[in-house]
Amino acid sequence: FLLVMTIKGGEFMQFNEREKFATLRRRKRLSMAEIAREIGCTRQMLSLFELGDSGMRPELIEKYKNCILKHSE
């Protein structure tokens, strides 16, 4: 899954799925602590995952995505 966004100056930026959900979380103003609490992991683990430095278990990744998607803007 790849999301392409137009940024100032007409340049394009590509996001992978992890970056897409991290951006969506911030746009919805959801804190890492709030998401971590809801999905059952630590804020630190979530931070590392969003930075691409952690391999979260697939079931936690699904919970993370679902948690972000269920919150309205």
Side-chain angles (χ1 to χ4, degrees), residues 9-73:
E11 298 176 35
F12 289 98
M13 179 183 290
Q14 295 183 350
F15 288 118
N16 64 29
E17 190 173 33
R18 178 187 46 78
E19 292 166 328
K20 173 195 164 206
F21 277 96
T23 300
L24 188 57
R25 177 190 60 76
R26 288 189 293 273
R27 286 185 60 206
K28 292 184 174 193
R29 300 185 195 278
L30 299 168
S31 72
M32 282 189 196
E34 180 181 357
I35 299 295
R37 200 170 28 255
E38 287 191 39
I39 68 172
C41 73
T42 64
R43 187 206 50 82
Q44 293 84 352
M45 176 186 270
L46 191 55
S47 177
L48 288 172
F49 171 72
E50 286 190 356
L51 292 170
D53 292 337
S54 172
M56 277 198 333
R57 295 187 325 264
E59 60 270 15
L60 270 182
I61 294 171
E62 282 305 308
K63 285 182 179 182
Y64 167 76
K65 291 186 215 176
N66 291 333
C67 185
I68 291 171
L69 292 174
K70 79 174 182 178
H71 283 79
S72 61
E73 287 194 45

